[in-house]
Coordinates of all heavy atoms in Angstrom, one line a residue:
M1 N 94.2 109.3 111.7 CA 95.1 109.6 110.6 C 94.6 109.0 109.3 O 94.5 107.8 109.2 CB 96.5 109.1 110.9 CG 97.2 109.7 112.1 SD 98.8 108.9 112.4 CE 99.7 110.3 112.6
A2 N 94.3 109.8 108.3 CA 93.7 109.4 107.1 C 94.7 108.5 106.2 O 94.2 107.7 105.4 CB 93.2 110.5 106.3
D3 N 96.0 108.7 106.4 CA 96.9 108.0 105.6 C 97.4 106.7 106.1 O 98.2 106.0 105.6 CB 98.1 108.9 105.3 CG 98.9 109.3 106.6 OD1 98.3 109.2 107.7 OD2 100.1 109.7 106.5
R4 N 96.8 106.3 107.2 CA 97.1 104.9 107.8 C 96.3 103.9 107.1 O 95.1 104.1 106.8 CB 96.9 104.9 109.3 CG 97.9 105.6 110.1 CD 97.6 105.7 111.6 NE 97.6 104.4 112.2 CZ 98.6 103.8 112.8 NH1 99.8 104.4 112.9 NH2 98.5 102.7 113.4
I5 N 96.9 102.7 106.9 CA 96.2 101.5 106.4 C 96.4 100.4 107.4 O 97.3 100.4 108.3 CB 96.6 101.1 105.0 CG1 98.0 100.6 105.0 CG2 96.4 102.3 104.0 CD1 98.4 100.0 103.7
R6 N 95.6 99.3 107.2 CA 95.7 98.1 108.1 C 95.7 96.9 107.2 O 94.9 96.8 106.3 CB 94.5 98.1 109.0 CG 94.4 96.8 109.9 CD 93.1 96.9 110.7 NE 92.9 95.7 111.5 CZ 93.2 95.6 112.8 NH1 93.6 96.6 113.5 NH2 93.0 94.4 113.4
A7 N 96.7 96.0 107.5 CA 96.7 94.7 106.8 C 96.7 93.6 107.8 O 97.4 93.6 108.8 CB 98.0 94.6 106.0
H8 N 95.7 92.7 107.6 CA 95.6 91.5 108.5 C 96.1 90.3 107.7 O 95.6 90.0 106.6 CB 94.1 91.3 108.8 CG 93.9 90.3 109.9 ND1 92.6 90.1 110.3 CD2 94.7 89.5 110.6 CE1 92.6 89.1 111.3 NE2 93.9 88.8 111.4
V9 N 97.2 89.7 108.2 CA 98.0 88.8 107.4 C 98.0 87.4 108.1 O 98.2 87.3 109.3 CB 99.5 89.3 107.3 CG1 100.3 88.4 106.4 CG2 99.5 90.8 106.7
F10 N 97.9 86.4 107.3 CA 98.1 85.0 107.7 C 99.2 84.4 106.9 O 99.2 84.4 105.7 CB 96.8 84.2 107.5 CG 95.6 84.7 108.3 CD1 94.8 85.7 107.8 CD2 95.4 84.2 109.6 CE1 93.7 86.2 108.6 CE2 94.3 84.7 110.4 CZ 93.5 85.7 109.9
I11 N 100.2 83.8 107.6 CA 101.4 83.2 107.0 C 101.4 81.8 107.3 O 101.3 81.3 108.5 CB 102.6 83.9 107.5 CG1 102.6 85.4 107.4 CG2 103.9 83.4 106.8 CD1 102.2 86.2 108.6
S12 N 101.6 80.9 106.3 CA 101.6 79.5 106.5 C 103.0 79.0 105.9 O 103.7 79.6 105.1 CB 100.5 78.8 105.8 OG 100.5 79.0 104.4
G13 N 103.4 77.8 106.4 CA 104.6 77.2 106.1 C 105.3 76.7 107.4 O 104.6 76.5 108.4
R14 N 106.6 76.7 107.4 CA 107.4 76.4 108.6 C 107.7 77.8 109.3 O 108.7 78.4 109.0 CB 108.6 75.7 108.4 CG 109.3 75.2 109.7 CD 110.5 74.3 109.3 NE 111.5 75.1 108.5 CZ 112.7 75.3 108.8 NH1 113.2 74.8 109.9 NH2 113.5 76.0 108.0
V15 N 106.7 78.3 110.0 CA 106.8 79.7 110.6 C 106.6 79.7 112.1 O 106.6 80.8 112.7 CB 105.7 80.6 109.9 CG1 106.1 80.8 108.4 CG2 104.3 80.0 110.0
Q16 N 106.5 78.6 112.7 CA 106.5 78.5 114.2 C 107.8 77.8 114.7 O 108.2 76.8 114.1 CB 105.3 77.8 114.7 CG 104.0 78.6 114.4 CD 102.8 78.0 115.1 OE1 102.9 77.2 116.0 NE2 101.6 78.6 114.8
G17 N 108.3 78.3 115.8 CA 109.5 77.8 116.3 C 110.8 78.1 115.6 O 111.8 77.5 115.7
V18 N 110.7 79.2 114.7 CA 111.9 79.6 113.9 C 112.1 81.1 114.1 O 112.6 81.8 113.2 CB 111.7 79.2 112.4 CG1 111.7 77.7 112.3 CG2 110.4 79.8 111.9
Y19 N 111.6 81.7 115.3 CA 111.8 83.1 115.6 C 111.0 84.0 114.6 O 111.4 85.2 114.5 CB 113.3 83.5 115.6 CG 114.0 82.7 116.7 CD1 114.8 81.6 116.3 CD2 113.9 83.0 118.0 CE1 115.5 80.9 117.3 CE2 114.5 82.3 119.0 CZ 115.3 81.2 118.6 OH 116.0 80.5 119.6
Y20 N 110.0 83.5 114.0 CA 109.2 84.3 113.1 C 108.6 85.5 113.8 O 108.6 86.6 113.3 CB 108.2 83.5 112.3 CG 107.6 84.1 111.1 CD1 108.2 83.8 109.8 CD2 106.6 85.0 111.2 CE1 107.7 84.4 108.7 CE2 106.1 85.7 110.0 CZ 106.7 85.3 108.8 OH 106.2 85.9 107.7
R21 N 107.9 85.2 114.9 CA 107.2 86.3 115.6 C 108.2 87.4 116.1 O 108.0 88.6 116.0 CB 106.4 85.8 116.8 CG 105.2 84.9 116.4 CD 104.5 84.3 117.5 NE 105.4 83.5 118.3 CZ 105.3 83.2 119.6 NH1 104.3 83.7 120.3 NH2 106.2 82.5 120.2
A22 N 109.3 86.9 116.7 CA 110.3 87.9 117.3 C 110.9 88.7 116.2 O 111.1 89.9 116.3 CB 111.4 87.2 118.1
T23 N 111.2 88.1 115.0 CA 111.8 88.8 113.9 C 110.8 89.8 113.3 O 111.1 90.9 112.9 CB 112.3 87.9 112.9 OG1 113.2 86.9 113.5 CG2 113.1 88.6 111.8
T24 N 109.5 89.4 113.3 CA 108.4 90.2 112.8 C 108.3 91.5 113.7 O 108.2 92.6 113.2 CB 107.1 89.5 112.7 OG1 107.2 88.4 111.9 CG2 106.0 90.4 112.2
R25 N 108.3 91.3 115.0 CA 108.2 92.4 115.9 C 109.4 93.4 115.7 O 109.2 94.6 115.6 CB 108.2 91.9 117.3 CG 108.2 93.1 118.4 CD 108.2 92.6 119.8 NE 109.4 91.8 120.0 CZ 109.5 91.1 121.1 NH1 108.6 91.0 122.0 NH2 110.7 90.4 121.3
G26 N 110.6 92.8 115.6 CA 111.8 93.7 115.4 C 111.7 94.5 114.1 O 112.0 95.7 114.1
T27 N 111.3 93.8 113.0 CA 111.2 94.4 111.7 C 110.1 95.5 111.7 O 110.3 96.6 111.2 CB 111.0 93.4 110.6 OG1 112.0 92.4 110.7 CG2 111.0 94.0 109.3
A28 N 109.0 95.2 112.3 CA 107.9 96.1 112.4 C 108.3 97.4 113.2 O 108.0 98.5 112.8 CB 106.7 95.5 113.0
R29 N 109.0 97.2 114.3 CA 109.4 98.4 115.1 C 110.4 99.2 114.3 O 110.4 100.4 114.3 CB 110.0 97.9 116.4 CG 109.0 97.4 117.3 CD 109.6 96.9 118.6 NE 108.5 96.5 119.6 CZ 108.7 95.9 120.7 NH1 110.0 95.6 121.1 NH2 107.8 95.6 121.6
E30 N 111.3 98.5 113.6 CA 112.3 99.3 112.7 C 111.6 100.0 111.6 O 112.1 101.1 111.2 CB 113.3 98.3 112.1 CG 114.3 97.7 113.1 CD 115.2 96.6 112.5 OE1 115.1 96.5 111.2 OE2 115.9 96.0 113.2
T31 N 110.5 99.5 111.1 CA 109.8 100.1 110.0 C 108.8 101.1 110.4 O 108.3 101.9 109.6 CB 109.1 98.9 109.2 OG1 110.0 97.9 108.9 CG2 108.5 99.4 107.9
G32 N 108.5 101.2 111.7 CA 107.6 102.1 112.3 C 106.1 101.7 112.1 O 105.2 102.6 112.0
V33 N 105.9 100.4 112.1 CA 104.6 99.9 112.0 C 104.0 99.4 113.3 O 104.8 98.8 114.1 CB 104.6 98.7 111.0 CG1 103.3 98.0 110.9 CG2 105.0 99.2 109.6
D34 N 102.8 99.7 113.6 CA 102.1 99.3 114.8 C 101.4 98.0 114.5 O 101.1 97.7 113.4 CB 101.1 100.4 115.3 CG 101.8 101.7 115.6 OD1 102.8 101.7 116.3 OD2 101.3 102.7 115.0
G35 N 101.0 97.2 115.6 CA 100.3 96.0 115.4 C 100.7 94.9 116.4 O 101.2 95.2 117.5
W36 N 100.5 93.7 115.9 CA 100.8 92.5 116.7 C 101.0 91.3 115.8 O 100.7 91.3 114.7 CB 99.7 92.3 117.7 CG 98.3 92.2 117.2 CD1 97.4 93.2 117.1 CD2 97.6 91.1 116.6 NE1 96.2 92.8 116.5 CE2 96.3 91.5 116.2 CE3 98.0 89.7 116.3 CZ2 95.4 90.6 115.6 CZ3 97.1 88.9 115.7 CH2 95.8 89.3 115.4
V37 N 101.6 90.3 116.4 CA 101.8 89.0 115.8 C 101.6 87.9 116.8 O 101.9 88.0 118.0 CB 103.2 88.9 115.1 CG1 104.3 89.0 116.2 CG2 103.4 87.7 114.2
K38 N 101.0 86.7 116.3 CA 100.8 85.6 117.2 C 100.8 84.3 116.4 O 100.6 84.3 115.2 CB 99.6 85.7 118.0 CG 98.3 85.5 117.2 CD 97.1 85.6 118.1 CE 95.8 85.3 117.4 NZ 94.6 85.3 118.3
N39 N 101.1 83.2 117.1 CA 101.0 81.8 116.5 C 99.5 81.4 116.6 O 98.8 81.7 117.6 CB 101.8 80.8 117.3 CG 103.3 81.0 117.0 OD1 103.7 81.5 116.0 ND2 104.1 80.4 117.9
L40 N 99.1 80.7 115.6 CA 97.8 80.0 115.6 C 97.9 78.6 115.9 O 98.9 78.0 115.6 CB 97.1 80.3 114.3 CG 96.8 81.8 114.0 CD1 96.2 81.9 112.6 CD2 95.8 82.4 115.0
D41 N 96.9 78.0 116.4 CA 96.9 76.5 116.7 C 97.1 75.6 115.5 O 97.5 74.5 115.6 CB 95.6 76.1 117.4 CG 95.5 76.7 118.8 OD1 96.5 77.1 119.4 OD2 94.4 76.8 119.4
D42 N 96.7 76.1 114.3 CA 96.8 75.3 113.1 C 98.2 75.4 112.4 O 98.4 74.9 111.3 CB 95.7 75.7 112.1 CG 95.9 77.2 111.6 OD1 96.8 77.9 111.9 OD2 95.0 77.6 110.8
G43 N 99.2 76.1 113.1 CA 100.5 76.1 112.6 C 100.9 77.4 111.8 O 102.0 77.7 111.5
R44 N 99.9 78.2 111.5 CA 100.1 79.5 110.8 C 100.5 80.6 111.8 O 100.3 80.4 113.1 CB 98.9 80.0 110.1 CG 98.4 79.1 109.0 CD 97.2 79.6 108.3 NE 96.1 79.6 109.2 CZ 95.0 80.4 109.1 NH1 94.8 81.1 108.0 NH2 94.0 80.4 110.0
V45 N 101.0 81.7 111.3 CA 101.2 82.9 112.1 C 100.2 84.0 111.6 O 100.0 84.1 110.4 CB 102.7 83.4 112.0 CG1 102.8 84.8 112.5 CG2 103.6 82.4 112.7
E46 N 99.6 84.7 112.5 CA 98.7 85.8 112.2 C 99.3 87.1 112.6 O 99.9 87.2 113.7 CB 97.4 85.6 112.9 CG 96.4 86.6 112.7 CD 95.1 86.4 113.5 OE1 95.1 85.6 114.5 OE2 94.1 87.1 113.2
A47 N 99.2 88.1 111.8 CA 99.7 89.4 112.2 C 98.8 90.5 111.7 O 98.1 90.4 110.7 CB 101.1 89.6 111.6
V48 N 98.9 91.7 112.4 CA 98.2 92.9 111.9 C 99.2 94.0 111.9 O 100.0 94.2 112.9 CB 97.0 93.2 112.9 CG1 96.5 94.6 112.6 CG2 95.9 92.2 112.8
F49 N 99.2 94.7 110.8 CA 100.1 95.8 110.6 C 99.3 97.1 110.4 O 98.4 97.1 109.5 CB 101.1 95.6 109.4 CG 101.9 94.3 109.5 CD1 101.7 93.4 108.5 CD2 102.7 94.1 110.5 CE1 102.4 92.2 108.6 CE2 103.5 92.9 110.6 CZ 103.3 92.0 109.6
E50 N 99.6 98.2 111.1 CA 99.0 99.4 110.8 C 100.1 100.5 110.7 O 101.1 100.5 111.5 CB 98.1 99.9 112.0 CG 96.8 99.1 112.0 CD 95.8 99.6 113.0 OE1 96.0 100.7 113.6 OE2 94.7 99.0 113.2
G51 N 99.9 101.4 109.7 CA 100.9 102.5 109.5 C 100.7 103.1 108.2 O 99.6 102.9 107.5
N52 N 101.7 103.8 107.7 CA 101.5 104.4 106.4 C 101.6 103.3 105.4 O 102.2 102.3 105.6 CB 102.5 105.6 106.2 CG 103.9 105.1 106.0 OD1 104.2 104.2 105.2 ND2 104.9 105.7 106.8
D53 N 101.1 103.6 104.2 CA 101.0 102.7 103.1 C 102.3 102.0 102.8 O 102.4 100.8 102.7 CB 100.4 103.4 101.9 CG 100.2 102.4 100.7 OD1 99.6 101.4 100.9 OD2 100.6 102.8 99.6
D54 N 103.4 102.8 102.6 CA 104.7 102.2 102.2 C 105.2 101.2 103.3 O 105.7 100.2 103.0 CB 105.7 103.3 102.0 CG 105.4 104.1 100.7 OD1 104.6 103.5 99.8 OD2 105.9 105.2 100.5
A55 N 105.1 101.6 104.6 CA 105.6 100.8 105.7 C 104.8 99.5 105.8 O 105.4 98.4 106.0 CB 105.6 101.6 107.0
V56 N 103.5 99.6 105.7 CA 102.7 98.4 105.8 C 103.0 97.5 104.7 O 103.1 96.2 104.8 CB 101.2 98.8 105.9 CG1 100.3 97.5 105.8 CG2 100.9 99.5 107.3
E57 N 103.0 98.0 103.5 CA 103.3 97.2 102.3 C 104.7 96.5 102.4 O 104.9 95.4 102.0 CB 103.2 97.9 101.0 CG 101.8 98.3 100.7 CD 100.8 97.1 100.6 OE1 101.3 96.0 100.1 OE2 99.7 97.2 100.9
A58 N 105.7 97.2 103.0 CA 107.0 96.7 103.2 C 106.9 95.5 104.2 O 107.6 94.4 104.0 CB 108.0 97.7 103.7
M59 N 106.1 95.6 105.2 CA 105.9 94.5 106.1 C 105.2 93.3 105.5 O 105.6 92.1 105.7 CB 105.2 94.9 107.4 CG 106.0 95.8 108.3 SD 107.5 95.0 108.9 CE 106.9 93.4 109.6
V60 N 104.2 93.5 104.7 CA 103.5 92.4 104.0 C 104.5 91.7 103.1 O 104.6 90.5 103.0 CB 102.3 93.0 103.2 CG1 101.8 91.9 102.3 CG2 101.2 93.5 104.2
E61 N 105.3 92.5 102.4 CA 106.3 91.9 101.5 C 107.4 91.1 102.3 O 107.8 90.0 101.9 CB 107.0 93.0 100.7 CG 108.0 92.5 99.6 CD 107.3 91.6 98.6 OE1 106.1 91.8 98.2 OE2 108.0 90.7 98.0
W62 N 107.8 91.6 103.4 CA 108.7 91.0 104.3 C 108.2 89.6 104.8 O 108.9 88.6 104.9 CB 109.0 91.8 105.5 CG 110.0 91.2 106.5 CD1 111.4 91.3 106.4 CD2 109.7 90.3 107.6 NE1 111.9 90.5 107.4 CE2 110.9 89.9 108.2 CE3 108.5 89.9 108.1 CZ2 110.9 89.1 109.3 CZ3 108.5 89.0 109.2 CH2 109.8 88.6 109.8
C63 N 106.9 89.5 105.0 CA 106.3 88.3 105.5 C 106.5 87.1 104.5 O 106.5 85.9 104.9 CB 104.8 88.4 105.7 SG 104.4 89.4 107.2
H64 N 106.7 87.4 103.2 CA 106.9 86.3 102.2 C 108.3 85.6 102.5 O 108.5 84.5 102.0 CB 106.9 86.9 100.8 CG 105.5 87.3 100.4 ND1 104.6 86.4 99.8 CD2 104.8 88.4 100.6 CE1 103.5 87.0 99.5 NE2 103.6 88.2 100.0
T65 N 109.2 86.2 103.2 CA 110.5 85.6 103.5 C 110.6 85.3 105.0 O 110.9 84.2 105.4 CB 111.6 86.6 103.1 OG1 111.5 86.9 101.8 CG2 113.0 86.0 103.4
G66 N 110.3 86.3 105.8 CA 110.3 86.1 107.3 C 111.7 85.9 107.9 O 112.7 86.3 107.3
S67 N 111.7 85.2 109.0 CA 113.0 85.0 109.7 C 113.9 84.0 108.8 O 113.4 83.3 107.9 CB 112.8 84.4 111.0 OG 112.2 83.1 111.0
S68 N 115.2 84.0 109.1 CA 116.1 83.3 108.3 C 115.9 81.8 108.3 O 116.2 81.1 107.3 CB 117.5 83.5 108.7 OG 117.7 83.2 110.1
N69 N 115.2 81.2 109.4 CA 115.0 79.8 109.4 C 113.6 79.4 109.0 O 113.2 78.2 109.0 CB 115.2 79.3 110.9 CG 116.6 79.3 111.3 OD1 117.5 79.1 110.5 ND2 116.9 79.7 112.5
A70 N 112.8 80.4 108.6 CA 111.4 80.1 108.2 C 111.4 79.6 106.7 O 112.3 79.9 105.9 CB 110.6 81.4 108.3
R71 N 110.3 78.9 106.4 CA 110.0 78.5 105.0 C 108.5 78.9 104.8 O 107.6 78.3 105.4 CB 110.1 77.0 104.8 CG 109.9 76.7 103.3 CD 109.6 75.2 103.1 NE 108.2 74.9 103.5 CZ 107.8 74.1 104.5 NH1 108.7 73.5 105.3 NH2 106.6 73.9 104.8
V72 N 108.3 80.0 104.1 CA 107.0 80.5 103.9 C 106.3 79.9 102.7 O 106.9 80.0 101.6 CB 107.0 82.1 103.8 CG1 105.6 82.6 103.5 CG2 107.6 82.7 105.1
D73 N 105.2 79.3 102.8 CA 104.5 78.7 101.7 C 103.4 79.6 101.1 O 103.1 79.6 100.0 CB 103.8 77.4 102.2 CG 104.9 76.3 102.5 OD1 106.0 76.4 102.0 OD2 104.5 75.4 103.3
D74 N 102.8 80.4 102.0 CA 101.7 81.3 101.5 C 101.5 82.4 102.5 O 101.7 82.3 103.7 CB 100.4 80.5 101.5 CG 99.2 81.3 100.8 OD1 99.4 81.7 99.7 OD2 98.2 81.4 101.4
V75 N 101.1 83.6 101.9 CA 100.8 84.8 102.7 C 99.4 85.3 102.2 O 99.3 85.5 101.0 CB 101.8 85.9 102.5 CG1 101.4 87.1 103.3 CG2 103.2 85.4 103.0
S76 N 98.5 85.3 103.1 CA 97.1 85.8 102.7 C 96.9 87.2 103.4 O 97.2 87.3 104.6 CB 96.1 84.8 103.2 OG 94.8 85.3 103.1
V77 N 96.4 88.2 102.7 CA 96.3 89.5 103.3 C 94.9 90.0 103.1 O 94.3 89.9 102.0 CB 97.3 90.5 102.6 CG1 97.2 91.9 103.2 CG2 98.7 90.0 102.6
E78 N 94.3 90.6 104.1 CA 93.0 91.3 104.1 C 93.3 92.7 104.5 O 93.9 92.9 105.6 CB 92.0 90.6 105.0 CG 91.8 89.1 104.7 CD 91.0 88.4 105.8 OE1 90.7 89.0 106.8 OE2 90.8 87.2 105.6
Y79 N 92.8 93.7 103.8 CA 92.9 95.1 104.1 C 91.7 95.6 104.8 O 90.6 95.2 104.4 CB 93.3 95.9 102.9 CG 94.7 95.6 102.4 CD1 94.9 94.6 101.4 CD2 95.8 96.2 103.0 CE1 96.2 94.3 101.0 CE2 97.1 95.9 102.6 CZ 97.3 94.9 101.6 OH 98.5 94.6 101.1
G80 N 91.8 96.5 105.7 CA 90.7 97.1 106.4 C 91.0 98.4 107.0 O 92.1 98.9 106.8
D81 N 90.1 98.9 107.7 CA 90.3 100.2 108.4 C 91.1 100.1 109.6 O 90.9 99.2 110.4 CB 89.0 100.9 108.7 CG 88.1 101.2 107.5 OD1 88.7 101.5 106.5 OD2 86.9 101.1 107.6
P82 N 92.1 100.9 109.8 CA 92.9 100.9 111.1 C 92.1 101.2 112.3 O 91.1 101.9 112.2 CB 94.0 101.9 110.8 CG 93.6 102.8 109.7 CD 92.5 102.0 109.0
V83 N 92.5 100.6 113.4 CA 91.9 100.8 114.7 C 92.8 101.6 115.6 O 92.6 101.6 116.9 CB 91.4 99.5 115.3 CG1 90.3 98.9 114.5 CG2 92.5 98.6 115.6
D84 N 93.8 102.2 115.1 CA 94.8 103.1 115.8 C 95.5 102.3 116.9 O 95.6 102.7 118.1 CB 94.1 104.3 116.4 CG 93.5 105.2 115.3 OD1 94.1 105.3 114.3 OD2 92.4 105.7 115.5
L85 N 96.1 101.2 116.5 CA 97.0 100.4 117.4 C 98.2 101.3 117.7 O 98.7 102.1 116.8 CB 97.4 99.1 116.8 CG 96.2 98.1 116.6 CD1 96.7 96.9 115.8 CD2 95.7 97.6 117.9
E86 N 98.9 101.1 118.8 CA 100.1 101.8 119.1 C 101.1 100.7 119.6 O 100.9 99.9 120.4 CB 99.9 102.8 120.2 CG 99.1 104.0 119.8 CD 99.0 105.1 120.8 OE1 99.9 105.1 121.7 OE2 98.0 105.8 120.8
G87 N 102.3 100.8 119.0 CA 103.4 99.9 119.3 C 103.2 98.6 118.6 O 102.3 98.4 117.8
F88 N 104.1 97.7 118.8 CA 104.0 96.3 118.2 C 104.4 95.3 119.2 O 105.4 95.4 119.9 CB 105.0 96.2 117.0 CG 104.6 95.1 116.1 CD1 103.8 95.4 115.0 CD2 105.0 93.8 116.3 CE1 103.3 94.3 114.1 CE2 104.6 92.8 115.5 CZ 103.8 93.0 114.4
E89 N 103.5 94.3 119.3 CA 103.7 93.3 120.4 C 103.5 91.9 119.8 O 102.9 91.6 118.8 CB 102.7 93.5 121.5 CG 101.2 93.3 121.1 CD 100.2 93.5 122.2 OE1 100.6 94.1 123.3 OE2 99.1 93.2 122.0
I90 N 104.1 90.9 120.6 CA 103.8 89.5 120.3 C 102.7 89.1 121.3 O 102.8 89.3 122.5 CB 105.1 88.6 120.6 CG1 106.2 89.0 119.7 CG2 104.7 87.2 120.6 CD1 107.5 88.3 120.0
R91 N 101.6 88.6 120.7 CA 100.5 88.1 121.5 C 100.6 86.6 121.6 O 101.2 85.9 120.8 CB 99.2 88.4 120.8 CG 98.9 89.9 120.8 CD 97.5 90.2 120.3 NE 97.2 91.6 120.4 CZ 96.1 92.2 119.9 NH1 95.2 91.5 119.4 NH2 96.0 93.5 120.1
R92 N 100.1 86.1 122.7 CA 100.1 84.6 123.0 C 98.7 84.1 123.0 O 97.8 84.7 123.2 CB 100.8 84.4 124.3 CG 102.2 85.0 124.3 CD 103.1 84.3 125.3 NE 104.4 85.0 125.4 CZ 105.3 85.0 124.5 NH1 105.2 84.4 123.3 NH2 106.5 85.6 124.7

């Protein structure tokens, strides 16, 4: 699909142990975005979003706030070519 984009996102702050991954999954599914989210050993959360431009950008914007208990300090985004992920999952 030519209109799909991919965003690889790294979120730092108080983003682990505050339902950030679960809320990201729920929001991505509601938005119709494919991809995954996982915790990193350094305390950040990493996510990949694939879908139409508006939906992916909405997810990137959402990452700046995240779950209600999160405190987001920084969001870093790298754009690339989609690899046709299907569904959205929490990776461990």
Side-chain angles (χ1 to χ4, degrees):
M1 298 179 132
D3 61 341
R4 284 176 65 93
I5 67 168
R6 175 184 177 99
H8 191 177
V9 184
F10 295 89
I11 305 101
S12 60
R14 188 174 58 123
V15 292
Q16 291 190 12
V18 293
Y19 300 101
Y20 197 96
R21 292 177 302 155
T23 308
T24 301
R25 179 181 59 192
T27 304
R29 288 177 174 173
E30 290 172 8
T31 309
V33 171
D34 300 310
W36 51 265
V37 63
K38 72 177 185 176
N39 285 341
L40 296 176
D41 291 340
D42 64 6
R44 295 179 300 161
V45 167
E46 177 182 16
V48 168
F49 305 118
E50 288 190 6
N52 73 52
D53 184 48
D54 290 341
V56 169
E57 288 304 327
M59 284 305 304
V60 170
E61 187 63 31
W62 179 89
C63 287
H64 289 269
T65 304
S67 64
S68 61
N69 292 323
R71 186 199 75 245
V72 176
D73 293 337
D74 187 55
V75 176
S76 172
V77 185
E78 301 168 0
Y79 291 93
D81 295 327
V83 297
D84 298 324
L85 297 172
E86 292 185 22
F88 200 93
E89 67 182 8
I90 294 175
R91 293 188 175 175
R92 304 204 187 289

